[in-house]
Amino acid sequence: MSALPQTPLAPLDRLGRPLRDLRLSVIEACNFRCGYCMPADKVPDDYGFDAAGRLSFDEIETLVRGATRLGMSKLRITGGEPLLRKGLPELIARLSRIDGIDDLAMTTNGSLLARHARALREAGLRRLTISLDALDPELFRELSGNRGDIDDVLAGIAAAESAGFESLKINCVVQRGVNDDEPIRLLEHFRGSGHVVRFIEYMDVGTCNGWQRDRVVPSTELRDRIHARWPLQTLDANYRGEVAERHAFVDGGGEVGFVSSVTAPFCGDCHRARVSADGTLYTCLFSAAGIALRPTLSLGESVFAEQLAGLWAKRADRYSELRGSTRASKRHVEMFLVGG
Ligand code: SAM
Ligand code: SF4
Ligand code: SF4
C-alpha cells in the first residue's frame, strides 16, 4: 500500500468545488438497451465489446491513485454494465487497497449479480446500487429493451444480501406515462427491507433518447404521492454534495431518496468527475467532449495527478443550472459511456 502524499494537490475548480468523487466506467458495453440510455434502434447489439480500447487494470489503478492525491475519496465503478468486465473482482481488490478511498461502490443493472455478488464482496466492494425501474415483469422487460428478466435482478439482490451487502440503493428512473405506477409498487416491496429506494428524474443525457421535459416526473410530485400513502419526514444529508434528498417513513419503514437534477439542480455542490472505459475525462455528465487521460497515465501516478489537477482547476461546468438557456451545450456525452 502506498502512503498518502505529504502535500496533496487539491485544487478547487473555477466555481470553488473540490474533486471528491469519481465515477469510473470499466466497460462501454451493456446487455440491456434501456430506451433512456442506450436505445436498441440507435446502438447496435455488438457495441462496445472491443476490449483493446479500454484502460487496463494497471492504468485504472494509476488513475485512481492519482485522483486520490487531489482528495478524491469516493469511487464508484460503473459502465455500460460493469459486471460484463472480465476479472472485475480482481480490479475491485486492487482498488480497495488504495489508501484514501473510503467509499468504494458500484452501480449495476443487477442482471448478472447473482453469480458475482460474493466475489465482489470478498474483493472489498462495500456498497451496491441496483438500477430497477419496474417490478412488473412485462414492463421491466420492455424497459430493458427486451433484454432483461426481473427474476434475475431479484435473485441478484438476494445474492447481494446473503453476501453481506447491507442497505442496497435501488435506483428507479421515473418517466411519466411509462412507469409512474412503479414507485408505489417498489416501495411496497422494499419498505422495511433496510434497502433505500431512490427515485431519479428522467434526464436529457446523451443524444439518443429523444428526451421530452413532459416525461419528467418532478420529485416534489412523487414525494407528495408517496407521503399521502406513507407519511414522510425530511432527513439531513449524510454529507455535503449528496445528490439524493433523504426522507424517512414516519412509521419506521426506512428511508427513501429523490434525485432531482432537472427540477432542483445541485451543480453548486458537484464534486464529481467521470472517466469512460477508454480513459476519457468528463467533468460534467452533460459535457460535449472529454479529455484523453491515457497518454499521461503511462507516465505514472504523479505526472497524472498534476495533469488532473490542472484540468480540474479549469472546470466551470453547471449544465443543469443552465438547462434550456442558450448557454447550455446541446451536445452531450452518452450516459452509457460515463455511467450515470
Ligand atoms: N448499467 C448500469 C446500471 O444501469 O445500473 C450502470 C450504468 S447506467 C448508465 C447508470 C444509471 O444511469 C442507471 O441507474 C440508469 O438508470 C441511469 N440513467 C441512464 N439514463 C438515464 C436518464 N436518461 N435519466 C436518468 N437516469 C438515467
Ligand atoms: Fe445499460 Fe445501464 Fe444504460 Fe440500461 S441504464 S442501457 S443497463 S448502461
Ligand atoms: Fe455536476 Fe454537471 Fe450534473 Fe451540474 S449538470 S450536477 S455540474 S454533472
Side-chain angles (χ1 to χ4, degrees):
M1 247 186 257
S2 75
L4 277 174
Q6 299 278 308
T7 50
L9 318 144
L12 300 179
D13 72 7
R14 278 161 52 199
L15 301 179
R17 301 166 297 187
L19 171 60
R20 291 270 177 267
D21 189 335
L22 177 65
R23 296 227 157 174
L24 179 69
S25 169
V26 291
I27 191 163
E28 61 286 20
C30 188
N31 55 339
F32 282 13
R33 285 292 180 272
C34 308
Y36 54 50
C37 173
M38 208 174 182
D41 59 340
K42 301 272 173 44
V43 190
D45 278 6
D46 60 357
Y47 174 83
F49 282 101
D50 172 18
R54 290 181 207 137
L55 295 185
S56 67
F57 289 178
D58 284 346
E59 288 171 312
I60 290 177
E61 190 173 339
T62 304
L63 189 153
V64 171
R65 285 186 185 280
T68 61
R69 293 191 178 209
L70 277 72
M72 185 279 294
S73 61
K74 287 168 66 62
L75 176 63
R76 178 170 294 274
I77 303 302
T78 181
E81 175 44 45
L83 295 177
L84 292 173
R85 176 80 190 237
K86 285 204 176 61
L88 190 63
E90 182 201 330
L91 176 66
I92 297 290
R94 289 174 68 164
L95 299 178
S96 71
R97 288 194 289 267
I98 296 178
D99 282 347
I101 300 291
D102 48 45
D103 184 19
L104 178 56
M106 188 175 80
T107 302
T108 169
N109 65 30
S111 61
L112 304 169
L113 191 56
R115 68 185 88 145
H116 294 295
R118 191 158 297 278
L120 292 168
R121 183 77 191 177
E122 284 168 2
L125 190 68
R126 285 294 160 260
R127 293 201 306 115
L128 264 174
T129 298
I130 293 154
S131 306
L132 181 50
D133 295 338
L135 279 175
D136 175 83
E138 276 179 30
L139 181 59
F140 179 86
R141 188 155 185 79
E142 199 183 307
L143 293 177
S144 70
N146 291 319
R147 309 296 207 271
D149 185 333
I150 183 64
D151 289 339
D152 292 338
V153 180
L154 295 176
I157 291 173
E161 287 166 344
S162 54
F165 288 99
E166 287 163 12
S167 192
L168 302 170
K169 298 251 164 55
I170 311 286
N171 275 5
C172 171
V173 177
V174 188
Q175 294 180 71
R176 196 180 299 287
V178 175
N179 64 339
D180 1 22
D181 292 338
E182 293 299 317
I184 297 291
R185 194 194 287 255
L186 280 161
L187 290 174
E188 279 168 347
H189 186 93
F190 286 108
R191 256 172 44 89
S193 67
H195 305 323
V196 179
V197 181
R198 303 191 314 170
F199 298 106
I200 323 279
E201 288 178 348
Y202 171 42
M203 291 185 287
D204 49 337
V205 288
T207 56
C208 45
N209 65 12
W211 185 80
Q212 290 165 321
R213 199 176 178 114
D214 57 10
R215 276 226 185 153
V216 178
V217 179
S219 292
T220 46
E221 176 186 327
L222 198 52
R223 197 174 53 214
D224 288 350
R225 224 194 305 155
I226 295 167
H227 180 69
R229 170 85 182 262
W230 299 288
L232 294 171
Q233 68 188 35
T234 314
L235 293 174
D236 290 338
N238 284 312
Y239 53 90
R240 179 148 187 224
E242 185 172 37
V243 294
E245 295 147 37
R246 302 170 60 217
H247 292 262
F249 293 106
V250 173
D251 68 0
E255 196 178 314
V256 61
F258 299 90
V259 181
S260 322
S261 23
V262 178
T263 60
F266 36 78
C267 301
D269 274 337
C270 181
H271 308 150
R272 182 171 295 173
R274 295 172 165 87
V275 176
S276 58
D278 66 356
T280 307
L281 171 75
Y282 296 90
T283 52
C284 177
L285 185 53
F286 298 89
S287 293
I291 299 128
L293 301 177
R294 208 167 193 180
T296 325
L297 287 173
S298 62
L299 304 176
E301 178 183 328
S302 306
V303 176
F304 168 67
E306 276 176 37
Q307 181 202 19
L308 184 60
L311 293 170
W312 187 261
K314 290 190 194 133
R315 174 185 192 243
D317 304 288
R318 55 187 192 101
Y319 173 84
S320 288
E321 291 179 351
L322 302 175
R323 180 181 278 111
S325 84
T326 49
R327 288 159 67 203
S329 125
K330 298 280 179 282
R331 280 197 311 130
H332 307 150
V333 58
E334 299 301 340
M335 186 69 141
F336 54 85
L337 293 180
V338 290

